[in-house]
Amino acid sequence: MKLSGDILYDHLKDLYKVKRYGTRSERLVLCRPLLYTGADNEFLSGRVYVAFSDQLPGDPVLKSESVLVCVGGNPATRYLTGCADCIVVSGQSDLFTIFNQIQEIYDKFDRWELALQDILDTDAEVNRILEASAPIFENPISVIGSDYQFLGYSKIIDELDSLKIYRPDENNRLPFESFSNSITGVDSNMALTTPFCLKVNGKEHLVSNLFENGVYIGCLKVACVLRPYRTSDNLLAQYLAHILEKAIPRLSNLSYSSVDIRRDMFKKLLLGAPLEVTRRQQLTLVNETEEYLAMKIVRSQRVKKKVPAVYLCEYLESAFPGSVAFEYQSAIALFVVVREQNGGIEKVRSILSDTLKPMQLRAGVSNRFSNLALARLHYQQACIAMEFGTFRRPNYVYYLFSDYVLRYMMYSCMGEFPSTLLFTEGFRRLEEYNRQASADYLETLQIYLNNNMNVTKTAEDLMIHRSTLLERLKRIEKLLESDLKDPDERLCLSIILKIDQIQRKDAREEYKEKFPEPAEMTDSRQHNYEYRELEKQI
């Protein structure tokens, strides 16, 4: 295997006192060393020369990417400032000992190259490749796929408890804590074709992306925690990355997995695209056996580190066995299988709380369904739950569509009109009268309708005399100019009252967010005054 000046220098400085001059050789182009005999003054590119400093010629012809290992002190200035890479070994060093030591360095890398080629020629197993590379990097190594599943990692990670943070979780995935701590410009990092370093917990982590036909398929990571990072590690990581790029595609399962099939099917259902005949047949089979919940997953506004969507999808699929997740319209669409034998809907809610909160995610959740042809409509339910729930309960982790059905129906029935244009003239007269009256006539009407026009029950709820209630109802009917015995009239009034009630409640909550309850009495009086003014506007 050909080496570079960086590799030779990094290895020699572990054994001897060395200094480096000239133009550095940073590519893997150097053949095995030659002992300089003094017969020639030309130093060729791609060669390593071992020589006594005082025996070097006075008129050298130095070529770029040639390396001189000088023993016995500094050579002439032209060697130290020329285009060759000059490594000076100080102290009482023997020329032949240095020469043999460099040969051993080459032997070490030749063994590595042969071992990697042998693995490629047989099973191309990633863990074997990493074990063969362990003596080269002397640090824990891992290979992680584009879906953030571990493709392999070096044995030492399991052997040392101090390295347990580099182990995969129970789903063979990069743990969320470890991943979120290493995030720094993730999207741009994935496009880099040369090795780069990340600083995690004060330690260098060398990363080399892996590609197949220009498409990102994962990355090689070397955690520099057992020995310090070296400049030459970049070249070696790049070399190992090329080996892995040959091995990983051979290990890939080219057949379409059942999860891939369902994911593709759900994507097409959400997009409204037609399904192939085989997919439609699969829909019929699935409809008979499974129940689902559709969810819309979004990140919290406060999250600082943006975890890639592909990682979140993998994380969610492992949390909900049998589910599928994918990025859809700036969110994540998640379809979860609900199985009663596994705890049913309550188990799903428990997992949602445990999974979403630490990742600072929120979910809108549909009603359960089995007809996958309606998946798009149920995902729309999840979107509606997210929209209404985020406004009403911003600190919640998930929102159920069933909790917001009535509110959605109320707002939907308004169509393109503002609520006031849906109110009948009679209702507006009642509202105007109610503002001036000492009693709350709207409340009286609401309770009366809620009690199915039961006068006795309504009077008890309002804590007024029956005759007083009858007088109020007589005035209400006169203002409304409607017959409350007509079921259609009652239904219309119930809807109007519910819309009015919801809007008042939303306005109060919005006001409380803008004007929190004050501590001092003077501010409290002002608060109450502004609150009454808001009531008048409503």
Side-chain angles (χ1 to χ4, degrees), residues 322-382:
S323 67
V324 293
F326 50 89
E327 192 171 7
Y328 181 72
Q329 295 181 345
S330 302
I332 292 174
L334 174 66
F335 291 88
V336 174
V337 179
V338 181
R339 295 188 175 100
E340 294 303 328
Q341 62 269 30
N342 294 336
I345 189 70
E346 292 304 320
K347 181 64 175 178
V348 171
R349 292 179 186 177
S350 173
I351 296 174
L352 270 178
S353 297
D354 294 341
T355 303
L356 300 184
K357 192 171 183 179
M359 300 183 74
Q360 294 183 288
L361 301 174
R362 291 181 296 182
V365 185
S366 75
N367 294 337
R368 73 170 78 184
F369 63 100
S370 58
N371 186 354
L372 292 187
L374 301 177
R376 186 179 183 185
L377 294 177
H378 282 85
Y379 184 75
Q380 187 60 29
Q381 286 184 344

Side-chain angles (χ1 to χ4, degrees), residues 54-85:
D54 57 5
Q55 291 182 351
L56 291 171
D59 56 343
V61 179
L62 301 173
K63 299 293 180 71
S64 61
E65 293 190 321
S66 61
V67 175
L68 278 68
V69 180
C70 302
V71 181
N74 286 350
T77 303
R78 68 189 65 186
Y79 289 98
L80 303 180
T81 59
C83 62
D85 190 349

Side-chain angles (χ1 to χ4, degrees), residues 183-224:
I183 293 175
T184 170
V186 172
D187 293 337
S188 58
N189 286 346
M190 287 181 178
L192 295 177
T193 56
T194 55
F196 57 96
C197 279
L198 296 175
K199 205 114 183 180
V200 183
N201 297 327
K203 297 288 186 178
E204 298 283 359
H205 284 60
L206 181 61
V207 182
S208 185
N209 290 328
L210 307 174
F211 299 92
E212 182 184 7
N213 298 323
V215 178
Y216 176 84
I217 59 173
C219 66
L220 162 72
K221 290 190 175 184
V222 181
C224 302

